[in-house]
Amino acid sequence: MKKVVTPGETVAYAEEFEVRGAAYLNSYKYMASATGTAAYDPKAHLAVVKPFREPPIPPPGTVVYCVVLGKGRRAYQLKCFAVEGERGPVDMKYQITGVLPNFFADGEFGIGDYIRAKVVSTYGPPLVVSTRGATYGVVLSRCPKCGSLLKRRGNTLYCPNCGAEVKRKIAVGYYTA
């Protein structure tokens, strides 16, 4: 059974159903936090609220793709442009500024590098992301001297044109050049 719900509408009671998705608990009642559809499974006692529209800012735990715009003393400045979906990266409707603090970065990044990162916090307009973990890091990089795409050789990247080598934190299994 499905029904359309609006924000603040009661989806289910805590005694009857476990609710997942765009809902919150308020004095033993699950309330919808977004306009969407509520699907009920009475056998499993589960209700799932799926919003019609995805949130404009990705929630914590979401994998995002960003480009490094600058490096400060405490953090890298980023522009996040895609979210990882079921079949790969999906462009976001609006590009969002991001910040990668040095304590969340496991290695070095260069300006212009495309990185795969995980959203840690969304308490402000800049997303705070992290590249801790083997699958997070650089997915595409250009040579700082001549601008051609860098190739991977072990844990370093090298330029096939000018022979320059740079050390980057490479995302395992995701480097595309």
Side-chain angles (χ1 to χ4, degrees):
M1 176 174 119
K2 287 186 176 182
K3 80 174 196 178
V4 176
V5 293
T6 58
E9 186 176 341
T10 302
V11 176
Y13 291 94
E15 298 89 24
E16 298 173 1
F17 286 95
E18 178 184 345
V19 179
R20 293 191 184 139
Y24 60 93
L25 185 64
N26 184 10
S27 66
Y28 303 106
K29 287 194 275 187
Y30 283 103
M31 314 290 268
S33 62
T35 304
T37 57
Y40 297 92
D41 184 4
K43 290 182 181 178
H45 297 284
L46 180 69
V48 178
V49 179
K50 185 175 179 188
F52 288 140
R53 207 183 308 171
E54 291 297 319
I57 296 178
T62 306
V63 177
V64 292
Y65 290 87
C66 307
V67 63
V68 178
L69 298 178
K71 180 181 179 187
R73 287 178 26 163
R74 296 182 183 173
Y76 293 95
Q77 290 78 34
L78 311 171
K79 181 163 284 189
C80 301
F81 59 89
V83 176
E84 189 166 282
E86 295 173 5
R87 297 182 183 150
V90 177
D91 288 340
M92 288 196 271
K93 187 172 183 179
Y94 304 106
Q95 293 183 351
I96 301 172
T97 58
V99 174
L100 174 61
N102 290 338
F103 54 86
F104 281 140
D106 273 349
E108 288 292 316
F109 300 101
I111 295 174
D113 287 352
Y114 288 86
I115 64 169
R116 180 178 188 265
K118 182 170 76 169
V119 176
V120 177
S121 173
T122 57
Y123 284 118
L127 289 176
V128 179
V129 300
S130 170
T131 56
R132 288 185 179 170
T135 59
Y136 303 114
V138 174
V139 292
L140 187 81
S141 185
R142 294 196 173 270
C143 178
K145 293 182 180 177
C146 68
S148 63
L149 287 177
L150 295 174
K151 302 267 185 201
R152 183 177 182 168
R153 184 188 301 155
N155 289 336
T156 61
L157 299 174
Y158 76 98
C159 178
N161 285 350
C162 67
E165 279 197 22
V166 292
K167 188 159 176 59
R168 300 276 193 261
K169 196 237 188 248
I170 303 168
V172 175
Y174 289 95
Y175 194 78
T176 56

